[in-house]
Amino acid sequence: MTFLPETRCTEASQAAFAVLPEPRVRLTAQRSTRRLQLNPKYGSGPREVEVSYLWCGAAGAPTVIVQGGISADRDVTALDGDAAPGWWQALVGSGAAVDLERWRVLAIDWLTPDRLGAGSVSSEDQADALAALLGALGIAQVHAFIGSSYGAMVALAFAARHPRSVERLLLLAGAHRPHPLSTAQRSVQRGIVRLGQASGRADEALALARQLAITTYRGSAEFGRRFAGGPEWREERFHFPVEDYLAHQGRRFVERFDADRFLALSESIDLHDVQPERIPTPTTLIGFPSDRLVPLADLCELQRRLHGPATLEVVESPYGHDAFLKEPEQLAPLLREALA
């Protein structure tokens, strides 16, 4: 792996691909940071902001933006076989549904208020950061914006604010506004974290908030199948089968996230509000009946109100909102068709 000092551009060597199928074209990866001029929605005026990004795939291929939920980062995929897999590795790679031999994928780390110098961060701020990054990289228009969860919200904000910069949208488990019940659930999570910060137990509170969030991400059928057993007496109390799983999820989240970042991005979801009538971009929506955070009814409303042509694909899954992470075999043909 070689590094170019100015842009930290990396190229996977032949050795790095030893455990991967031989690509038909040469793949490159640029993992870097750019200083961009932005005007934050909740800020006091224009400012320079550092935006960290990954741009990888076949050199010269059309670019596709891929953004995930609030816990996702720029590492959508990894070209180096020795590196940790990206958060969507099963769907983004050489020969995958989002084929890096055909497309060049661009993703950013989500901005937070401390980066923006603002009180809060909006989906519009994230969209503007991506648009400014396209300009800095010399990309006039991306072939598609694929957004999942919060990423779908940012994709809608992007298409509303920069319609000439994107040819098509592919949105999974995300809508033009948050559902009020989902906002209520996130509000409780944020309250837990703030209480933990005030009492000096921020990490414990963040872990507990994540545990509560997991119960909203997954479907009832999955929990019923996996955790239907009886309790076990341990450490002077009864432990229910689901508790160890939730505790593990909370610990893992605290290892890679912090309380302020969680509060900002969770709030950003609930601040999101885009008028679909402003969006002329052809759109493919993908929804999951078991998703309790983004009900199918909201996606039906979004499809009906979008100014441009829109289709809605319904994928059955027991995994609820997390189905966009857990159903690569069902999603792959839909992604390929939408990108074709």
Side-chain angles (χ1 to χ4, degrees):
M1 189 83 60
T2 58
F3 293 87
L4 303 182
E6 291 186 357
T7 63
R8 297 178 61 216
C9 177
T10 64
E11 290 193 5
S13 65
Q14 290 183 350
F17 282 98
V19 298
L20 299 175
E22 186 68 25
R24 291 165 294 182
V25 298
R26 190 181 186 200
L27 305 182
T28 64
Q30 187 180 124
R31 195 174 191 275
S32 189
T33 299
R34 293 287 180 114
R35 291 189 68 84
L36 304 171
Q37 188 85 2
L38 299 179
N39 191 4
K41 182 175 182 178
Y42 301 107
S44 56
R47 62 176 288 121
E48 280 197 344
V49 178
E50 284 195 351
V51 177
S52 300
Y53 68 92
L54 173 69
W55 192 27
C56 66
T63 293
V64 172
I65 296 173
V66 179
Q67 296 288 154
I70 64 170
S71 61
D73 56 21
R74 58 181 153 167
D75 293 314
V76 178
T77 189
L79 297 188
D80 188 336
D82 294 328
W87 62 264
W88 231 23
Q89 190 80 35
L91 289 166
V92 180
S94 179
V98 183
D99 188 353
L100 293 183
E101 297 179 28
R102 185 177 180 187
W103 313 111
R104 195 158 171 80
V105 164
L106 179 66
I108 65 170
D109 285 344
W110 294 127
L111 298 177
T112 51
D114 60 324
R115 282 277 187 97
L116 284 171
S120 297
V121 61
S122 68
S123 56
E124 294 99 325
D125 295 331
Q126 314 285 8
D128 289 349
L130 281 159
L133 180 59
L134 293 182
L137 296 175
I139 304 169
Q141 186 183 62
V142 296
H143 177 72
F145 193 137
I146 305 174
S148 302
S149 189
Y150 182 57
M153 294 178 163
V154 172
L156 286 164
F158 185 93
R161 296 169 71 81
H162 310 282
R164 295 182 180 179
S165 296
V166 59
E167 290 184 30
R168 65 195 71 191
L169 300 178
L170 178 51
L171 312 179
L172 299 88
H176 53 296
R177 56 166 177 76
H179 192 280
L181 180 57
S182 301
T183 296
Q185 294 162 340
R186 282 185 292 268
S187 178
V188 173
Q189 295 163 28
R190 293 193 294 270
I192 291 170
V193 173
R194 292 188 185 105
L195 184 61
Q197 289 178 318
S199 62
R201 303 174 70 179
D203 283 353
E204 293 175 70
L206 181 61
L208 189 59
R210 178 64 172 183
Q211 292 180 46
L212 180 57
I214 289 291
T215 68
T216 70
Y217 295 156
R218 297 299 180 89
S220 299
E222 182 197 7
F223 271 74
R225 185 183 69 248
R226 291 179 62 182
F227 306 113
E232 171 187 327
W233 181 259
R234 193 170 74 237
E235 298 169 346
E236 299 186 359
R237 73 171 180 87
F238 283 111
H239 284 256
F240 295 88
V242 73
E243 290 185 71
D244 290 337
Y245 166 76
L246 292 177
H248 172 71
Q249 294 294 327
R251 286 192 300 270
R252 285 183 56 199
F253 191 68
V254 170
E255 289 170 1
R256 59 189 179 87
F257 232 71
D258 65 78
D260 288 335
R261 182 176 179 82
F262 172 81
L263 289 173
L265 294 176
S266 172
E267 179 188 64
S268 186
I269 293 175
D270 293 323
L271 291 171
H272 171 74
D273 187 8
V274 171
Q275 298 302 309
E277 293 81 5
R278 294 177 53 199
I279 299 173
T281 314
T283 302
T284 299
L285 304 170
I286 299 178
F288 310 99
S290 59
D291 186 349
R292 291 176 292 173
L293 283 180
V294 184
L296 275 180
D298 285 4
L299 295 184
C300 291
E301 178 188 337
L302 173 58
Q303 180 193 19
R304 185 175 65 253
R305 291 177 57 189
L306 282 167
H307 182 64
T311 60
L312 172 59
E313 303 287 348
V314 177
V315 176
E316 294 289 344
S317 170
Y319 296 114
H321 189 69
D322 273 0
F324 76 89
L325 296 169
K326 302 288 287 183
E327 297 286 6
E329 291 184 2
Q330 290 201 71
L331 294 176
L334 299 178
L335 297 183
R336 287 193 177 96
E337 182 179 355
L339 290 174

